[in-house]
Amino acid sequence: MDFSLNLGVLDEGKLVKIDENKLYDVTVIGAGPAAVSAAIYSARKGLSVAMVGLKVGGQVLDTDGIENIIGTISTTGAKFAESLHEHLKEHEIAFKEGNLVTEIKEDGKDKIFVTDDGKSYRTKTLIVATGAKPRGLNIPGEKEYTGKGVHYCSTCDGPFYKGLDVAVIGGGNSGVEAAIDLSGIAKSVTLIEFMPEMKADKVLQDKLAERENIKVILNSATKEVIGKEFVESIKYVDRATEKEHDLKVNGMFIEIGLSPRSELVKDLVKINKIGEIEINNENNMTSVKGIFAAGDVTTVKQKQIIIAMGEGAKAALGAFEYLIKEY
């Protein structure tokens, strides 16, 4: 088997142009931490690697401060994305930046993928690392204050609210876990749930009830985020009385789940009921031989940067093993 490397050097370090006439060993779809990790690990194995994604960093670019990547005490989303890009440039990877893959077809053992500029390419294996996007409330002020008091990950951004007042939107497992997590950091936590009852597991609700600095508001709809430079309050409506309330907070965490970006492969590989790509935990292969997946788009439970990077590496090693043993 020929694991030929890409040749040539561009201004982007060792990154090269993608070649329509080349059969790549591995193609990574996505440009977030999982995708970058998969591409680098594949290149380090001597494989020819292509990568297609909009912008290096993915969801990381929407994150203000990052303090939970071991070995990096503190950084910002923008700086971390830049470091990912710099690391990519150390390897001979064919990176098609600013484009999306719109179609994937099988041709025997090979895969053909088409990008949004109408060009098609061939590859022996695929690693889908398209990530996920937080489910939002789509209310006034949410978009404007994202990163300025509106957050979607308590683990990522909770530590910035030590001793402050925060709100958590969502009474499912994600919301209740976030509220419990934040209660050990923030001065007070107010959990707002749309339905008359919380949907979280009983064991989580019991733990929630033990925390004295958590207040729960049920049957209420969050309507607006209010602030100046940063969030100052949120407006919610009691659905039973239709009475409007203002809650003063320094920050809010919208924890109503993630929406996996799996539309591209939903008719090709097996996905679960919420759209996550099902993978083999041993090597990250999907239900289709030669197609692997990594990061937030998969069924891996914990959606964290450091975990996504590990999963990207695992998918690359899985693809390498598949090429040796089965291609």
Side-chain angles (χ1 to χ4, degrees):
M1 179 173 53
D2 178 21
F3 287 151
S4 57
L5 289 173
N6 299 307
L7 299 177
V9 178
L10 300 178
D11 293 338
E12 281 285 325
K14 294 181 180 179
L15 295 180
V16 299
K17 289 183 179 179
I18 193 167
D19 187 348
E20 290 179 86
N21 300 311
K22 187 179 181 76
L23 172 62
Y24 288 95
D25 294 322
V26 178
T27 294
V28 180
I29 303 175
V36 172
S37 177
I40 290 173
Y41 259 75
S42 297
R44 285 176 58 84
K45 280 294 186 181
L47 305 176
S48 59
V49 184
M51 181 176 172
V52 182
L54 282 179
K55 196 169 184 179
V56 175
Q59 290 183 68
V60 163
L61 292 168
D62 297 324
T63 303
D64 187 11
I66 301 173
E67 296 182 342
N68 59 352
I69 298 175
I70 310 306
T72 301
I73 296 172
S74 179
T75 187
T76 66
K79 286 182 179 178
F80 185 65
E82 184 180 350
S83 70
L84 291 177
H85 203 172
E86 289 299 314
H87 202 164
L88 267 181
K89 288 158 62 174
E90 293 295 311
H91 299 275
E92 291 173 339
I93 295 168
F95 184 24
K96 187 167 187 174
E97 187 173 12
N99 290 90
L100 294 171
V101 174
T102 58
E103 184 182 3
I104 297 172
K105 298 177 285 188
E106 291 187 276
D107 184 15
K109 286 187 175 182
D110 296 338
K111 316 295 185 269
I112 299 172
F113 62 97
V114 181
T115 51
D116 53 8
D117 56 1
K119 295 182 179 180
S120 62
Y121 307 88
R122 297 181 69 89
T123 187
K124 298 174 183 177
T125 62
L126 278 170
I127 298 176
V128 181
T130 44
K133 55 185 177 181
R135 290 193 177 96
L137 297 170
N138 296 317
I139 59 175
E142 177 183 354
K143 184 176 180 181
E144 291 84 346
Y145 291 103
T146 295
K148 298 178 180 179
V150 174
H151 305 278
Y152 301 88
C153 177
S154 62
T155 305
C156 308
D157 301 315
F160 296 106
Y161 291 87
K162 185 174 183 179
L164 300 177
D165 300 309
V166 300
V168 173
I169 314 301
N173 284 349
S174 296
V176 172
E177 286 175 355
I180 294 169
D181 182 32
L182 288 164
S183 70
I185 301 167
K187 177 183 177 183
S188 72
V189 180
T190 302
L191 186 149
I192 301 175
E193 164 58 32
F194 182 80
M195 300 301 291
E197 296 180 354
M198 288 189 291
K199 303 180 290 294
D201 296 341
K202 185 178 184 301
V203 64
L204 289 174
Q205 293 194 44
D206 290 343
K207 288 183 179 179
L208 186 81
E210 294 173 359
R211 304 299 174 101
E212 294 182 356
N213 63 337
I214 298 178
K215 178 183 178 181
V216 176
I217 299 173
L218 300 174
N219 203 27
S220 295
T222 308
K223 291 294 186 180
E224 187 178 358
V225 184
I226 301 166
K228 292 178 182 176
E229 291 185 30
F230 297 92
V231 170
E232 295 180 353
S233 66
I234 58 176
K235 187 178 293 183
Y236 69 92
V237 175
D238 186 313
R239 297 175 61 220
T241 65
E242 297 186 355
K243 185 177 180 180
E244 196 172 87
H245 300 269
D246 284 316
L247 176 68
K248 291 189 180 300
V249 292
N250 302 106
M252 64 181 289
F253 293 81
I254 301 172
E255 296 281 355
I256 55 176
L258 292 170
S259 179
R261 299 180 187 272
S262 60
E263 297 87 355
L264 177 65
V265 294
K266 64 182 178 65
D267 296 322
L268 183 60
V269 303
K270 189 174 181 180
I271 63 174
N272 66 13
K273 62 182 180 180
I274 61 172
E276 296 171 328
I277 299 174
E278 295 190 0
I279 56 172
N280 179 329
N281 289 331
E282 182 181 344
N283 59 13
N284 285 54
M285 190 182 286
T286 68
S287 57
V288 175
K289 281 193 171 185
I291 299 181
F292 300 78
D296 288 3
V297 74
T298 74
T299 47
V300 169
K301 184 177 179 182
Q302 303 296 343
K303 314 297 187 185
Q304 299 289 306
I305 295 170
I306 195 167
I307 292 174
M309 294 174 77
E311 289 291 303
K314 189 149 68 84
L317 296 175
F320 177 74
E321 185 177 348
Y322 165 82
L323 288 167
I324 292 174
K325 293 181 178 179
E326 299 190 47
Y327 186 81

